[in-house]
Amino acid sequence: MRKSSGTAASGREKAYAYLRENILIDPEMQGRFLNEQELAAEIGVSRTPVREALLLLVSDGLVELIPQRGAYVPPVTGREISELMELRGVLESHAARLVIEQGAVPAETMRDTLGQQANLPDTLSAEAAREFIRLDTLFHQQLIDAAANELISRTYSKLHVRQILVGVSALFRAGGRREQVCAEHQDILDALVSGDAAKAQQAIDHHLAVTRDLLLRT
């Protein structure tokens, strides 16, 4: 009985992770319905764990269940983009103050992630864009995690799917955005290393505002 429960949980977790990391981060999936049977075959599990994973994603606000039609991936709205950037700004600025006060700035790990971003190939394929935004998300998560507040880290991590979605969209909407992102990240890192919390907050706010304005541009 215990083994069966564990297997069910592991199937659900596998489906949940796959949907978050491979399906929902694809901008083309917005506004479309998901096929449970096709997903089950793709993931290598039965339909039950896929259905359970979809229910978890409903609670995350990433999927909607439409009666008689199934699981729907709603487009990210302008309001959600603004709210996402606002929440990120609050969490990241708070983390910046804490790590500076505690002398816990993760300079080396953030510098390494930024280096990986800058060294990605120039070709902006969908795959390269997703990898760039994955590293972008990691850069910011490293700052959040360094604040050593587990609840804040978990809350920020839950934003992962939306961050990748809006980040990929931003990269394709403006030429040269990749270089700008790396420069803005460098400004954030320099402010953290200098121990200037006000400057770090200003750099974070600027970085998020540029992304928000780019995405809200019609």
Side-chain angles (χ1 to χ4, degrees):
M1 184 75 167
R2 195 172 294 167
K3 182 178 179 182
S4 172
S5 175
T7 302
S10 113
R12 179 179 66 242
E13 288 159 9
K14 181 180 179 182
Y16 178 76
Y18 185 87
L19 288 164
R20 276 177 55 91
E21 303 298 326
N22 297 280
I23 302 299
L24 298 181
I25 63 169
D26 183 352
E28 293 186 4
M29 292 307 300
Q30 293 187 65
R32 295 176 59 180
F33 283 88
L34 301 174
N35 185 299
E36 287 184 14
Q37 189 168 347
E38 290 178 2
L39 286 170
E42 196 173 325
I43 299 167
V45 297
S46 68
R47 289 182 66 176
T48 298
V50 170
R51 193 171 298 116
E52 292 173 346
L54 289 171
L55 289 173
L56 292 176
L57 292 166
V58 169
S59 69
D60 289 343
L62 297 171
V63 169
E64 295 175 3
L65 289 181
I66 310 297
Q68 268 93 54
R69 299 205 61 189
Y72 175 73
V73 183
V76 178
T77 66
R79 177 176 178 175
E80 286 173 329
I81 289 169
S82 294
E83 290 177 350
L84 170 64
M85 296 306 167
E86 182 179 359
L87 178 55
R88 284 186 58 187
V90 170
L91 296 177
E92 292 180 34
S93 294
H94 178 68
R97 287 193 300 273
L98 285 179
V99 298
I100 288 173
E101 288 171 6
Q102 298 165 1
V105 174
E108 289 306 314
T109 53
M110 292 178 74
R111 190 173 290 120
D112 178 66
T113 301
L114 178 53
Q116 291 180 56
Q117 272 193 300
N119 290 327
L120 282 173
D122 289 335
T123 53
L124 195 58
S125 64
E127 184 178 344
R130 281 195 288 271
E131 176 60 12
F132 183 87
I133 298 303
R134 184 191 71 78
L135 290 167
D136 183 289
T137 302
L138 177 61
F139 178 87
H140 292 277
Q141 187 75 52
Q142 286 166 340
L143 168 59
I144 292 289
D145 290 346
N149 183 311
E150 189 176 337
L151 183 56
I152 290 178
S153 287
R154 284 204 309 267
T155 300
Y156 194 88
S157 180
K158 284 285 188 180
L159 306 176
H160 175 75
V161 170
R162 286 191 179 90
Q163 288 189 57
I164 291 183
L165 269 175
V166 301
V168 169
S169 296
L171 279 184
F172 283 111
R173 287 194 189 193
R177 180 58 187 149
R178 198 186 84 160
E179 292 76 14
Q180 291 174 356
V181 168
C182 290
E184 289 161 16
H185 280 184
Q186 188 64 59
D187 289 342
I188 292 170
L189 184 54
D190 289 345
L192 291 170
V193 171
S194 73
D196 190 332
K199 191 174 180 182
Q201 179 171 351
Q202 184 179 27
I204 289 167
D205 288 345
H206 172 71
H207 175 54
L208 297 177
V210 170
T211 303
R212 179 200 63 215
D213 293 346
L214 181 61
L215 288 163
L216 294 179
R217 201 178 294 163
T218 55

